[in-house]
């Protein structure tokens, strides 16, 4: 995930939020995030920004991959392990129960 310092002036409303620079997934924070969108994101922990080309429609509150994730990788959100990737996910694709499962079971 590439990032650069965000400027407070003229700042756009983000499409995506990540919480930590270590996150490999971010959350859609707008309704109607459509496939083929160059999404603007903010990392809330350090106020940096990033961009990712969204490949699928992403419902609000759902996740998008910020890097290519391989089966067996760990999905990271809030800087924490949120589950195991069970199916390869390309950068910009929808991350949800069809490709990530909790490690609890």
């Amino acid at each position: 995930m590439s990032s650069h310092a965000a400027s407070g002036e003229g700042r756009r409303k983000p499409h995506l939020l990540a919480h930590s620079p270590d996150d490999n997934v971010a959350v859609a924070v707008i309704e109607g995030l459509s496939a083929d969108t160059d999404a603007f994101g903010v990392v809330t922990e350090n106020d940096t920004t990033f961009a990712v080309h969204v490949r699928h429609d992403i419902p609000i509150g759902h996740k998008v991959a910020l890097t290519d994730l391989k089966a067996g990788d760990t999905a990271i959100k809030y800087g924490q392990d949120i589950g195991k990737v069970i199916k390869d996910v390309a950068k910009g694709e929808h991350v949800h129960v069809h490709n990530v499962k909790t490690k609890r079971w």
Side-chain angles (χ1 to χ4, degrees), residues 5-98:
S7 69
E9 191 171 315
R11 186 151 165 184
R12 310 184 311 195
K13 179 179 175 185
H15 300 102
L16 302 168
L17 288 180
H19 301 277
S20 165
D22 296 328
D23 290 354
N24 58 18
V25 299
V27 177
V29 292
I30 64 162
E31 291 282 358
L33 181 53
S34 299
D36 205 31
T37 297
D38 291 322
F40 170 65
V42 174
V43 179
T44 59
E45 186 176 290
N46 62 10
D47 204 30
T48 57
T49 63
F50 60 91
V52 63
H53 186 80
V54 175
R55 297 175 180 223
H56 300 140
D57 292 345
I58 309 293
I60 192 167
H62 285 227
K63 296 171 290 300
V64 62
L66 298 179
T67 62
D68 290 336
L69 301 170
K70 300 290 183 198
D73 286 351
T74 296
I76 305 292
K77 180 179 165 189
Y78 312 112
Q80 302 294 316
D81 175 341
I82 62 160
K84 179 180 179 180
V85 177
I86 59 168
K87 180 181 174 192
D88 291 356
V89 184
K91 180 178 180 178
E93 289 186 345
H94 187 201
V95 175
H96 200 54
V97 297
H98 63 283

